[in-house]
């Protein structure tokens, strides 16, 4: 698997990005300022993540998505680890991520990669998404904020 920066001439894979964020509008907004990194294997796009600088010395992973047929193979963890390394290389001191209260697998993944919960943005998904989101039989309402020092 190779991970590389998506060039300005390439169109971001929205079908993959909306797996992790169901709002094309939200995705379009952070794609404007973020850097997208894609994972490929045998010329197949298998994953993507987006890094977005948010404050001086702080960057956020705003999207991590793995193509459905490649999920549950450790690719998400490799993408998150790559994002952490890219952030270090770029001189950031803190990396953050947010995930839904119902995103149980993602929450476990981020903690396994060294992130710690720093807060809760109550009702984030109710305020910012037109349609209700359900995962694991739970309504996604709050954004759990996580971070790690680099």
């Amino acid at each position: 698997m190779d991970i590389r920066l998506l060039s300005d001439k390439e169109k971001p894979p929205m079908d993959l990005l909306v797996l992790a964020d169901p709002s094309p509008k939200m995705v379009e907004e952070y794609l404007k300022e973020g850097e997208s990194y894609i994972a490929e294997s045998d010329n197949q796009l298998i994953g993507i993540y987006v890094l977005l600088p948010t404050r001086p010395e702080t960057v956020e992973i705003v999207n991590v998505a793995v193509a459905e047929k490649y999920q549950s193979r450790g690719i998400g963890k490799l993408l998150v680890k790559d994002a952490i390394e890219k952030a270090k290389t770029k001189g950031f001191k803190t990396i953050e991520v947010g995930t839904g209260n119902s995103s149980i697998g993602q929450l476990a993944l981020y903690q396994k990669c060294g992130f710690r919960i720093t807060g809760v943005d109550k009702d984030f998904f109710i305020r910012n998404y037109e349609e209700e989101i359900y995962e694991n039989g739970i309504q996604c309402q709050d954004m759990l904020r996580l971070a790690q020092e680099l």
Side-chain angles (χ1 to χ4, degrees):
M1 179 177 79
D2 294 313
I3 301 174
R4 67 172 177 84
L5 181 64
L6 189 71
S7 79
D8 292 338
K9 295 174 184 164
E10 294 175 286
K11 188 176 179 190
M14 289 300 288
D15 57 331
L16 198 52
L17 290 159
V18 296
L19 290 176
D21 186 335
S23 170
K25 181 181 175 185
M26 295 284 281
V27 172
E28 291 287 346
E29 285 301 311
Y30 55 69
L31 284 176
K32 292 176 189 174
E33 303 296 325
E35 289 186 332
S36 300
Y37 292 86
I38 59 171
E40 297 170 309
S41 181
D42 297 323
N43 293 320
Q44 289 271 53
L45 176 63
I46 61 172
I48 187 168
Y49 69 85
V50 180
L51 281 179
L52 178 68
T54 55
R55 297 185 303 281
E57 301 186 335
T58 301
V59 67
E60 181 175 353
I61 304 171
V62 291
N63 190 307
V64 179
V66 176
E68 290 184 42
K69 77 179 210 177
Y70 294 98
Q71 291 178 3
S72 300
R73 297 185 189 181
I75 294 168
K77 188 172 188 177
L78 291 172
L79 292 174
V80 171
K81 291 287 191 184
D82 189 76
I84 292 166
E85 288 308 310
K86 291 276 190 315
K88 284 180 187 177
T89 301
K90 292 177 173 290
F92 290 102
K93 302 291 184 221
T94 303
I95 187 166
E96 300 177 328
V97 68
T99 196
N101 61 282
S102 56
S103 302
I104 297 165
Q106 293 87 334
L107 180 59
L109 168 67
Y110 296 133
Q111 290 180 91
K112 288 176 186 177
C113 290
F115 286 86
R116 302 279 311 268
I117 296 171
T118 57
V120 177
D121 187 345
K122 192 168 174 52
D123 293 331
F124 176 87
F125 293 97
I126 293 170
R127 288 192 318 270
N128 293 289
Y129 288 77
E130 292 178 17
E131 294 184 25
E132 293 180 347
I133 302 168
Y134 283 85
E135 298 172 294
N136 303 302
I138 303 166
Q139 184 176 4
C140 186
Q141 300 175 47
D142 308 322
M143 179 182 288
L144 303 178
R145 302 293 306 161
L146 299 95
Q148 72 173 274
E149 301 305 312
L150 301 173

